[in-house]
Amino acid sequence: MNTGSDKPGEAVAVASDGTKADGAQEERGLGSRAPAFIKASRALHVSWQVGVFIVGLAVVGAGIVMLPLPGPGWVVIFGGMAIWATEFVWAQLVLRWTKRKVTEAAQRALDPKVRRRNIIITSIGLVIVTALVGFYLWKFGVVMPWKIKDQ
């Protein structure tokens, strides 16, 4: 364990996996995570970055295609962003912002008042859908709409 601090004069225990003693995740530094031998040569590092960009672009493109089609579109898009974040500061900042927003949304969703509201809205929606389906079955029976004859 290392010791780090958020405030001067205060020591905080940090494990080797980046988690603090209180369970919080330590922020990694921004910048390239390429191996040192690749960073040593400017041409090799630029080639590495181009390769990472192309692979990330392919993954993000596949995720965009999956949005209207079956598949985990958003998960794949964020996977591509994570690939980009291994080399590009802008992608690291986008992922940090996204992670912060998702964490905030998860905390709001766990709020008892919000959960109660969501359960009430869902229940009202189910009652409305059930009433509409019941009305349809009462009026037309189990005949599908495309088989209704003109009267």
Side-chain angles (χ1 to χ4, degrees), residues 18-136:
T19 56
K20 295 181 182 178
D22 63 356
Q25 192 75 354
E26 181 180 305
E27 294 288 330
R28 290 183 82 179
L30 297 175
S32 175
R33 292 191 174 78
F37 74 92
I38 290 176
K39 289 182 188 177
S41 169
R42 174 84 177 136
L44 188 57
H45 192 223
V46 170
S47 300
W48 178 268
Q49 286 182 325
V50 168
V52 167
F53 183 79
I54 291 171
V55 170
L57 185 64
V59 172
V60 168
I64 290 171
V65 168
M66 286 183 204
L67 287 175
L69 299 175
W74 285 110
V75 173
V76 174
I77 289 172
F78 288 122
M81 289 296 295
I83 291 171
W84 279 338
T86 63
E87 284 303 309
F88 304 108
V89 173
W90 60 268
Q92 293 168 1
L93 295 174
V94 167
L95 283 178
R96 283 184 182 179
W97 179 84
T98 304
K99 184 177 180 181
R100 188 173 60 248
K101 291 298 179 183
V102 167
T103 303
E104 290 171 7
Q107 291 302 318
R108 279 194 312 269
L110 294 175
D111 180 25
K113 290 180 182 179
V114 174
R115 289 186 68 190
R116 189 175 312 117
R117 184 201 64 203
N118 290 345
I119 290 171
I120 291 169
I121 290 172
T122 302
S123 300
I124 291 170
L126 285 173
V127 167
I128 291 171
V129 168
T130 303
L132 290 172
V133 168
F135 175 76
Y136 177 84

Side-chain angles (χ1 to χ4, degrees), residues 132-143:
L132 290 172
V133 168
F135 175 76
Y136 177 84
L137 291 174
W138 172 72
K139 186 76 173 168
F140 301 107
V142 187
V143 178

